Amino acid sequence: GKWHMGVNCKSRRDHCHHPLNHGFDYFFGMPFTLLNECQGTDDPELAKSLQDTYWLYTQMVILAVLTLLIGKLANLFSVKWKIIVCLVICGFLHFISWFSSYGLTKYWNCILMRNHDITEQPMNLEKTTSNMLKEAVSFIQRNKHRPFLLFVSLLHVHTPLITTKKFQGRSRHGLYGDNVEEMDWMVGKWLLDAIDKEGLKNTTFIYFASDHGGSLEAHRGNAQLGGWNGIYKGGKGMGGWEGGIRVPGIVSWPGVLPAGTVISELTSLMDVFPTVVQLAGGVVPQDRVIDGRTLLPLLRGTVRRSGHEFMFHYCGVFLHAVRWHQKDSGTVWKAHYTTPVFQPEASGACFGRGICPCFGDGVTHHHPPLLFDLSKDPSEANPLSADTEPLFDTVMRRIGEAVEEHRKTLTPVPQQLSPYSNIWKPWLQPCCGTFPFCWCDEENNKG
């Protein structure tokens, strides 16, 4: 499915970020993320505000060239041809530099790979999910006689919400609801049925979850495309607000875990790694700090509390909030050091920007931090203070100590979201043909 970790570091074929270089034996899916551009819509998603700025500059250059050209030909003023030619060349280079990164996203980024080989460029979104599910079922069948790890990251419930005609209009919650219903059907009809048919139901640990809450800024006209976060404030990409990070998880292991059990303890997707390692009979690395905790004791009922006393919520590389699950009282505190500036102010989202920033003038730094008691105020509507909460100073001091300890475990790495890291680099571009003519459709030709 969707890998979203990229492919290459220094050359077009080094595959340094590829799943096969990170522990997986087989890969079929997208090496990048899913964008509106993959559907070819008129609603670009990638760096939309930046694209608008670049296009404005391009229009200004075009207007300047036309003004000088008309003035020269009509003898309205004197200007050298060299100046006009230089302006045309500079404008052309400016346009090519940004349009190659953002205008051809569908052809450069929306690709499908099998292991190291590109099979579709650009990919056919109408068939991609079914192709991925067929691969998943085939994988289960090939490996049914030995232990296996199958990680499926669907393209569903993510804009542009590709939904087949069979499911369009089924839900009263619009296209997003249709997409959820189709995903539900796909997981059950394809994956769970395949596991059941191969006699693996009682011996297979299944974990179903989302990686974030609803994206509130995702709109098309008046239609909300990014989901709904209920009573929880904020959404996807907002650092620490509950609406972006609090999601349900569903676990199934009929031969071991009792059905119908509800666990309200907070866990993390980082817990998947140590859980899988324990299931496989391995030991997690001892030479580094592992942030995840195995889920098995909690799921089996041998412990009643999550292994996470503190959780650190980031926006990019910036720590925005810290959660403290107080062991001696069961109270869950959360302190927000930084929050995004909503646009409009009372909207609860960053509609003006299209996505909330992690730093700069798009965030507010809080001194002292905003403190909430999530056990009583899960909507984060009423920030506490030293005047309203007797334990305010004690809680803030303990959270501050935890942050200091946490920061000692971090190793600085190059900024992955720097402008240089985000511009298109032709020498790294995966290509199934002779660059720059990168077009192929082996999946459907094979079919």
Side-chain angles (χ1 to χ4, degrees), residues 241-311:
W241 291 122
E242 289 291 277
I245 56 180
R246 186 189 283 241
V247 297
I250 303 172
V251 176
S252 173
W253 196 5
V256 179
L257 304 177
T261 303
V262 178
I263 298 173
S264 299
E265 291 291 295
L266 187 83
T267 62
S268 164
L269 285 180
M270 292 185 290
D271 298 335
V272 172
F273 172 63
T275 303
V276 167
V277 169
Q278 184 177 356
L279 286 170
V283 179
V284 296
Q286 301 298 304
D287 61 344
R288 72 205 69 176
V289 173
I290 301 296
D291 294 307
R293 304 285 186 270
T294 176
L295 296 171
L296 296 183
L298 194 62
L299 295 172
R300 285 172 167 156
T302 56
V303 300
R304 303 184 69 85
R305 298 291 299 272
S306 166
H308 297 281
E309 182 180 3
F310 292 93
M311 298 196 77

Side-chain angles (χ1 to χ4, degrees), residues 162-174:
I162 300 300
T163 310
T164 61
K165 291 182 179 180
K166 179 180 178 181
F167 281 87
Q168 290 177 6
R170 276 201 177 195
S171 169
R172 63 178 180 175
H173 298 291

Side-chain angles (χ1 to χ4, degrees), residues 104-120:
L104 300 172
T105 300
K106 180 175 181 178
Y107 299 95
W108 297 144
N109 284 17
C110 305
I111 64 177
L112 199 60
M113 298 182 76
R114 178 180 283 103
N115 292 326
H116 290 147
D117 300 321
I118 299 173
T119 61
E120 277 189 55

Side-chain angles (χ1 to χ4, degrees), residues 137-332:
V137 171
S138 174
F139 178 87
I140 293 170
Q141 294 169 344
R142 293 197 308 272
N143 294 281
K144 62 184 178 183
H145 296 303
R146 60 178 183 175
F148 64 81
L149 168 68
L150 172 62
F151 170 52
V152 181
S153 182
L154 295 170
L155 304 186
H156 273 57
V157 197
H158 189 293
T159 53
L161 296 178
I162 300 300
T163 310
T164 61
K165 291 182 179 180
K166 179 180 178 181
F167 281 87
Q168 290 177 6
R170 276 201 177 195
S171 169
R172 63 178 180 175
H173 298 291
L175 185 58
Y176 184 89
D178 297 341
N179 210 246
V180 171
E181 292 205 14
E182 184 167 37
M183 178 187 66
D184 178 72
W185 175 82
M186 286 175 162
V187 171
K189 188 68 176 177
W190 287 80
L191 302 177
L192 300 189
D193 277 9
I195 290 170
D196 199 14
K197 288 175 183 176
E198 299 300 338
L200 303 174
K201 185 174 182 179
N202 289 338
T203 55
T204 302
F205 179 89
I206 300 169
Y207 183 30
F208 176 88
S210 173
D211 58 343
H212 55 70
S215 176
L216 302 182
E217 291 86 3
H219 275 74
R220 187 175 299 155
N222 293 325
Q224 187 173 335
L225 303 180
W228 179 63
N229 297 320
I231 66 169
Y232 302 114
K233 190 172 185 176
K236 174 184 175 181
M238 294 191 192
W241 291 122
E242 289 291 277
I245 56 180
R246 186 189 283 241
V247 297
I250 303 172
V251 176
S252 173
W253 196 5
V256 179
L257 304 177
T261 303
V262 178
I263 298 173
S264 299
E265 291 291 295
L266 187 83
T267 62
S268 164
L269 285 180
M270 292 185 290
D271 298 335
V272 172
F273 172 63
T275 303
V276 167
V277 169
Q278 184 177 356
L279 286 170
V283 179
V284 296
Q286 301 298 304
D287 61 344
R288 72 205 69 176
V289 173
I290 301 296
D291 294 307
R293 304 285 186 270
T294 176
L295 296 171
L296 296 183
L298 194 62
L299 295 172
R300 285 172 167 156
T302 56
V303 300
R304 303 184 69 85
R305 298 291 299 272
S306 166
H308 297 281
E309 182 180 3
F310 292 93
M311 298 196 77
F312 304 92
H313 304 304
Y314 280 81
C315 185
V317 298
F318 301 94
L319 180 65
H320 273 209
V322 180
R323 181 189 308 261
W324 179 27
H325 197 155
Q326 196 172 347
K327 288 183 177 180
D328 52 355
S329 72
T331 303
V332 181

